[in-house]
Amino acid sequence: MIRYLTAGESHGPKLTGIIEGVPAGLPITEDEIALHLARRQKGYGRGGRMAFEKDKATISSGVRFGKTTGAPIAMQMPNRAHEKDDSNWPKVLAKEGNGDDVDPITVPRPGHADLTGVQKYRYDDIRPAIERSSARETAMRVACSSIARKFLKHFGIEIGGHVTRIGKVGYEQPWEDVRDRVDPMLEDGAETIFKTADESPVRCLDEDLTQQMRDLIIKRRKEGSSLGGHWEVVVTGLPAGLGSFVHWDRKLGGQLAQAIIGTQAMKGVQIGQGFESGRRHGQVVHDEIIHEDGTFKRRTNRMGGLEGGVTTGMPLIIRGVMKPIPTMLTPIDTVDIHSKEKTDTRYERSDVCALPRAIVVAESVIAPVLANAFLEKFGGDSIEEIEERLDQ
Amino acid sequence: MIRYLTAGESHGPKLTGIIEGVPAGLPITEDEIALHLARRQKGYGRGGRMAFEKDKATISSGVRFGKTTGAPIAMQMPNRAHEKDDSNWPKVLAKEGNGDDVDPITVPRPGHADLTGVQKYRYDDIRPAIERSSARETAMRVACSSIARKFLKHFGIEIGGHVTRIGKVGYEQPWEDVRDRVDPMLEDGAETIFKTADESPVRCLDEDLTQQMRDLIIKRRKEGSSLGGHWEVVVTGLPAGLGSFVHWDRKLGGQLAQAIIGTQAMKGVQIGQGFESGRRHGQVVHDEIIHEDGTFKRRTNRMGGLEGGVTTGMPLIIRGVMKPIPTMLTPIDTVDIHSKEKTDTRYERSDVCALPRAIVVAESVIAPVLANAFLEKFGGDSIEEIEERLDQ
Amino acid sequence: MIRYLTAGESHGPKLTGIIEGVPAGLPITEDEIALHLARRQKGYGRGGRMAFEKDKATISSGVRFGKTTGAPIAMQMPNRAHEKDDSNWPKVLAKEGNGDDVDPITVPRPGHADLTGVQKYRYDDIRPAIERSSARETAMRVACSSIARKFLKHFGIEIGGHVTRIGKVGYEQPWEDVRDRVDPMLEDGAETIFKTADESPVRCLDEDLTQQMRDLIIKRRKEGSSLGGHWEVVVTGLPAGLGSFVHWDRKLGGQLAQAIIGTQAMKGVQIGQGFESGRRHGQVVHDEIIHEDGTFKRRTNRMGGLEGGVTTGMPLIIRGVMKPIPTMLTPIDTVDIHSKEKTDTRYERSDVCALPRAIVVAESVIAPVLANAFLEKFGGDSIEEIEERLDQ
Amino acid sequence: MIRYLTAGESHGPKLTGIIEGVPAGLPITEDEIALHLARRQKGYGRGGRMAFEKDKATISSGVRFGKTTGAPIAMQMPNRAHEKDDSNWPKVLAKEGNGDDVDPITVPRPGHADLTGVQKYRYDDIRPAIERSSARETAMRVACSSIARKFLKHFGIEIGGHVTRIGKVGYEQPWEDVRDRVDPMLEDGAETIFKTADESPVRCLDEDLTQQMRDLIIKRRKEGSSLGGHWEVVVTGLPAGLGSFVHWDRKLGGQLAQAIIGTQAMKGVQIGQGFESGRRHGQVVHDEIIHEDGTFKRRTNRMGGLEGGVTTGMPLIIRGVMKPIPTMLTPIDTVDIHSKEKTDTRYERSDVCALPRAIVVAESVIAPVLANAFLEKFGGDSIEEIEERLDQ
């Protein structure tokens, strides 16, 4: 079983991650991890942070001569902002001292964990909530997940995502239009999707929508507002029979949903046709079973590759929503936590729309879940051992 | 930490559940559990099973003189069908013998765990997949969860749900229309919602929609099709500060999402405005903070009571989708698992639309998650001990 | 991963257990489970309970036609005492009512969970602590574990235990004398050990010691005292490579130790030579490696089959201590929890020495741990699937 | 709940640890952590590594202005050997390249995870097993645990350990002699024990035994052998009621046992009188209950502070055994994993007896277990919140 912990503040010296339970013998390099870190940093609608934040995760254990050893893999990723910024982060986030010369943040931003952080941890300075709840943390989650992703890829399982909506701009028929476009691409594996989407500045597969999304982002930026949107991630190559229906917490869909909604700003998730299936009736929702080329297939894939919480062998389709970024140039009302007086939200440098970047996070965080379901079925302490089983 | 396991087949002798980790001293009776079991059995659109299936969970441990002792609580619930039905269940599901005189089921129904069960467990008879993946299991989940629910209620936390859509019939503006109707009811606690909804045969708070939903169910039944729909569950009384943003798997939203998507037929879940928030922009999505009556509140509650995976003190709003029931009178294509020949799906007695009943399951399964978040903050081995802390 | 929960009070209506995660297709019958339950009930030094307590676990789910289905397996075991005894258990342990007509127990017995139960759960009647902490619970742990044990047996892994000391009577050289006697028996599998030991009324492999142990038990019974002792359990057939050294909580030894010390009255555990190895020096402690018959072996097995928390392929040897039973006819000092006055302990019918029976519990509780280590390496949802992998 | 992961190889660039779940507001400095790291490095019988291995854990997250924030705490600790040694570690443990110019280790040392590592992970070079299973890893476990230990200390719970036996040298009566010496020291808290023991080069509280242990270590070093021994750790200040008897995996003793046996070279563990209690009879084993100074106490503490897996309020006494170090100057037989030929073990620089250092590890690894039991009872997200509850 793969498990991982991440640590680190947004403007602290570094992010740290440890991932444990990866079988021995998996080929992995820092460059392969850097690929998804770089993808996570690209995307239209970014604010000013991009320039000084070229992420690279440095592995310091668990990998030897280009392969995992089975031991825990530790990674570090410095926050360039920590030293270079004029915001004096080493002082603001000093681990020692009493902080007397650092002004506390006392104005919580709605939509962030600012106020809830204060309520939970009794902070009298919101700073620690800002720092840890920031989406910066997702960089290390992507790094850890990239190793699980490489494991899946080794066994032919590919993951790819794309943006389907930003604010009011999106596919007219969110299910049919997307299927028409995406499904034919899947023959070559789901990575085709992200490679294609990566060519769009907003990671949308449709050119016209891409242009409209950019325009909308420009408009909302001018207004000092922000945007979120909808996304889809597809996984190809999953064998049938991962997950289980025998107990609720073993259903793969539920585990995937936790990984997604456990990600910053994600407020909804659906498998396959999802919410749309509630608007239709059974005859047009369920996927007829056929037998072709020696295997069971489905004529359609409205269930998104999961039935009873178990993979069907069809592509996994998972879709979600990211809320608009809470930090906005045009302030909204809030209250100072000390004075209890009404005030405006303060602005911290921020993207207008983080969805094109967040796609990479959504692609990533499901990888450890899928790798664990795979390991549960095939077992094994080494890649070699697993390969033998699959070759049987 | 509360944890629980359920066991039992749909037509086996009984369902069994064990829930562990409930503090000592919680007043609980079998009648309180039976209340939600009865609610789960009611609802328009049911098939013929209702008559012989009056559920009552019998407690056999962990409760003495009307109060929990802190020890694991075991419950049993017989399946009346097991003995009364003409389907000869004791023979079909015999734990001994070789089954030679029982015909195997070899035709998988799309949308159920029939084929995935075969693919995962190598069944040559689909029966075990049908039996365990059946929604019958949710009866025991409701029973176990009802104890967690009583725990929450003891500390003023109430849960209530209602149906917002069945097929094409639903609120026109799923967010605003529902808020207008539901939010004023919350002053008296969220149980007001379910008590009101229970008066509708489809558990919809709106009379007109109720009538249209009934009509639609009748129509789809005649066509031999089936229906799912959308639901909303609201929780009032949650203190601010439950859950955490410091690590992804401690975010309350993610844990709730797993509980929901880990439930039969649920294909999507959203917190607060959810998917709708992706269509709007930040200025109209985030909830302004105010300070009133000595506490922090929000002008709106579009985030559904969670920010950064932590409760805000506002009502928790969670919404989801149930897919149409896969079992339908009008068959669709499938394949015999032995012959690999194309065939029609076979019909087992079934509801046309299970959503009005499933609402009770959705209300229930989130209760252990919330109780654990509450216990994490307040600790405590006995109700008395927790009460003292809250009285401080 | 196998997990299980047990529930039930010592004199309540029944014990209940649910075990989840057992692969499909494992042949299992209630008789196979009853075997170890019966073994757990036999043994010299028992008190009066034996007559009315013939345990049989009734399976109510997860098994069909003599094989597991992969679904959770629920079992029930009635407590005959509940109805037959003159102690009026149905009234004393009523789940309803207010208990006004039941005298509370207010005198805690040292050595039991009586006082700690009061301190933890704020009981004003010790009864619930007595009921749940009683060794009666181990009957259901044995039942659940017996299924894991059958799984291991299916793949050639056998478990057998025996008593090495009761009070002052035991092997003179606890390591060498026992190895000389036991190791030659292992060729036929570790079940040979328990089958042989079962012929001794105190489950000791040595006839002379058996007689001395019986004599000692008679002596201590007359004095109104009680006895514990030392035991050894051996497991044969374990493949090398189960467990892991890469993280502390994956070390098999630690997991086994938790299972043992998590058992009533067990106050110590050691792997292989254990404490004795601290008295010797390295040259005579470590096990030289040889290569014979195409495989790596050890000249000796002082490490007890585990190196670095991983199985070596040699027999697993685990030894432990059971403290004397706290309930004794001759009272010792205690204090009434209400009056705080000094008083004598009260006597409840009890064994003088439970070790011959507890051996079966020790054999059993390690089975789920070993089965999980096996499943982690070999994976698999069905016995058939695992067999194929082992046949490679 | 506190959880932590460690990573890092013995001669890799660094060790890394992340500890998650520590409440906010706990005062902690790197110096407090360094204290136990330094203690772990001291001790007679060390080999040559000591000179270049002055450990300090650098915190890079989760602590601000001298207090925890509630966020995960990451720590790094460089391995000085990595760069300074002449063994060319950066090349030998390179994460990239193909390792063609690095000679594989093919001779497994009995007693280490060398051969089991090969058997589990299919290494063709034993190096990764040597590196990860090394006791070097315990440095990071001590660092992580030191934070839990500080948490306990904040609430008056102290931990202290000492050596009771090295090889054939030890207390004559391991229970009575040690109690006579240790128990009077506990009035001032268990840290008195370690502070006193730290003055002995072998961390033994008795001067005569200290001298004999030193002499024995010198003797065994000359012979090229090695030594292990017995240790005791005592914890004072634990409130009654931590842990639980209601389910086996919640018994505190079992959780402690896993932490101990999950530590390098630990082959046995016992609570209180432990194995000795199996040699005695009930009348002289159980601890009479008295009521004094407004609280329940015990006349003796043979149960070691745990009854039914729950703390009694008396000091926790846990004792264990460390096996002799497997690496010895005088070789023993082993087999080359490639050639399968018999050969001598190779020598790597090593201590003769690591027990005086390992005491610090034993003290440390139980701290997270105890902190979690404490948090389960008292809950709380911040030190302030917990303090209020205890002040009630």
Side-chain angles (χ1 to χ4, degrees), chain A residues 259-319:
Chain A
I260 294 298
I261 305 293
T263 300
Q264 285 82 340
M266 299 298 174
K267 299 292 283 188
V269 64
Q270 51 189 337
I271 309 293
Q273 215 176 53
F275 281 90
E276 187 58 28
S277 71
R279 295 174 176 270
R280 305 187 180 187
H281 66 96
Q283 291 285 328
V284 296
V285 162
H286 294 291
D287 302 307
E288 293 186 322
I289 298 172
I290 56 176
H291 195 266
E292 233 178 45
D293 309 327
T295 188
F296 293 101
K297 294 185 182 167
R298 308 303 170 111
R299 283 230 174 81
T300 50
N301 188 22
R302 296 152 186 157
M303 289 299 106
L306 286 180
E307 276 184 348
V310 180
T311 53
T312 61
M314 294 292 284
L316 176 75
I317 301 172
I318 187 163
R319 300 185 296 157

Side-chain angles (χ1 to χ4, degrees), chain A residues 58-329:
Chain A
T58 305
I59 293 173
S60 59
S61 71
V63 175
R64 188 182 182 220
F65 304 149
K67 291 188 177 177
T68 57
T69 65
I73 301 166
M75 287 179 280
Q76 281 92 31
M77 203 185 300
N79 290 317
R80 306 250 161 119
H82 187 67
E83 295 202 355
K84 294 200 185 151
D85 199 338
D86 52 6
S87 301
N88 212 352
W89 294 116
K91 182 176 132 190
V92 170
L93 292 180
K95 58 190 162 191
E96 293 180 351
N98 58 15
D100 279 355
D101 52 352
V102 174
D103 288 335
I105 310 276
T106 61
V107 179
R109 297 162 304 167
H112 283 292
D114 292 12
L115 183 56
T116 54
V118 168
Q119 289 169 317
K120 182 170 191 71
Y121 292 112
R122 300 201 180 186
Y123 300 140
D124 53 10
D125 176 355
I126 296 167
R127 175 58 61 195
I130 296 171
E131 289 293 322
R132 182 59 190 162
S133 65
S134 156
R136 174 72 188 141
E137 183 264 347
T138 59
M140 187 45 81
R141 286 184 74 194
V142 167
C144 290
S145 298
S146 291
I147 296 174
R149 202 167 168 175
K150 181 68 197 299
F151 171 79
L152 294 169
K153 182 83 185 291
H154 190 86
F155 294 104
I157 299 164
E158 297 189 6
I159 304 175
H162 62 109
V163 168
T164 57
R165 168 174 299 281
I166 288 180
K168 62 190 177 189
V169 179
Y171 293 92
E172 209 171 316
Q173 299 181 92
W175 181 253
E176 281 78 5
D177 292 355
V178 173
R179 294 279 64 72
D180 287 350
R181 183 176 291 271
V182 168
D183 291 357
M185 302 170 68
L186 298 179
E187 205 123 304
D188 298 324
E191 295 208 345
T192 315
I193 298 171
F194 87 64
K195 284 170 189 163
T196 311
D198 281 7
E199 287 165 25
S200 155
V202 289
R203 287 207 165 91
C204 177
L205 294 172
D206 185 279
E207 272 183 51
D208 281 354
L209 290 176
T210 291
Q211 191 52 52
Q212 292 174 49
M213 288 172 181
R214 289 179 66 162
D215 293 346
L216 184 63
I217 290 172
I218 291 167
K219 175 168 179 278
R220 292 303 181 202
R221 174 180 292 140
K222 281 188 192 147
E223 295 169 7
S225 191
S226 65
L227 288 161
H230 298 174
W231 53 265
E232 173 178 283
V233 170
V234 182
V235 187
T236 52
L238 288 166
L242 307 189
S244 179
F245 55 86
V246 299
H247 209 264
W248 70 269
D249 48 4
R250 293 182 61 194
K251 295 200 182 194
L252 193 57
Q255 295 170 1
L256 293 165
Q258 183 186 9
I260 294 298
I261 305 293
T263 300
Q264 285 82 340
M266 299 298 174
K267 299 292 283 188
V269 64
Q270 51 189 337
I271 309 293
Q273 215 176 53
F275 281 90
E276 187 58 28
S277 71
R279 295 174 176 270
R280 305 187 180 187
H281 66 96
Q283 291 285 328
V284 296
V285 162
H286 294 291
D287 302 307
E288 293 186 322
I289 298 172
I290 56 176
H291 195 266
E292 233 178 45
D293 309 327
T295 188
F296 293 101
K297 294 185 182 167
R298 308 303 170 111
R299 283 230 174 81
T300 50
N301 188 22
R302 296 152 186 157
M303 289 299 106
L306 286 180
E307 276 184 348
V310 180
T311 53
T312 61
M314 294 292 284
L316 176 75
I317 301 172
I318 187 163
R319 300 185 296 157
V321 58
M322 183 182 208
K323 70 180 181 188
I325 286 185
T327 302
M328 296 173 288
L329 208 52

Side-chain angles (χ1 to χ4, degrees), chain A residues 1 3 20-22 69-72 241 243-244 246-250 375-382 385 388-392, chain C residues 1 3 20-22 69-72 241-244 246-250 375-382 385 388-390 392:
Chain A
M1 288 287 295
R3 54 184 167 165
E20 201 278 315
V22 181
T69 65
S244 179
V246 299
H247 209 264
W248 70 269
D249 48 4
R250 293 182 61 194
L375 280 169
E376 189 184 66
K377 183 150 200 67
F378 297 104
D381 298 311
S382 63
E385 192 176 7
E388 287 171 8
R389 282 172 199 166
L390 292 168
D391 283 351
Q392 280 185 309
Chain C
M1 287 287 296
R3 53 186 168 164
E20 199 277 319
V22 181
T69 65
L242 306 189
S244 180
V246 300
H247 209 264
W248 70 268
D249 49 4
R250 295 181 59 193
L375 280 169
E376 189 185 64
K377 184 151 199 64
F378 298 103
D381 298 312
S382 63
E385 192 177 6
E388 287 171 6
R389 283 172 200 167
L390 292 168
Q392 281 184 308

Side-chain angles (χ1 to χ4, degrees), chain B residues 25-27 148-157 383-384 387:
Chain B
L26 177 71
R149 203 168 168 174
K150 180 67 197 299
F151 172 79
L152 294 168
K153 181 83 186 291
H154 190 86
F155 293 105
I157 299 164
I383 296 299
E384 189 182 279
E387 284 172 344

Side-chain angles (χ1 to χ4, degrees), chain C residues 214-239:
Chain C
R214 290 180 64 161
D215 293 347
L216 183 62
I217 290 170
I218 291 166
K219 176 169 177 276
R220 293 301 182 202
R221 173 180 290 141
K222 279 187 192 147
E223 295 169 7
S225 192
S226 65
L227 287 161
H230 298 174
W231 54 265
E232 174 178 282
V233 169
V234 183
V235 187
T236 51
L238 287 166

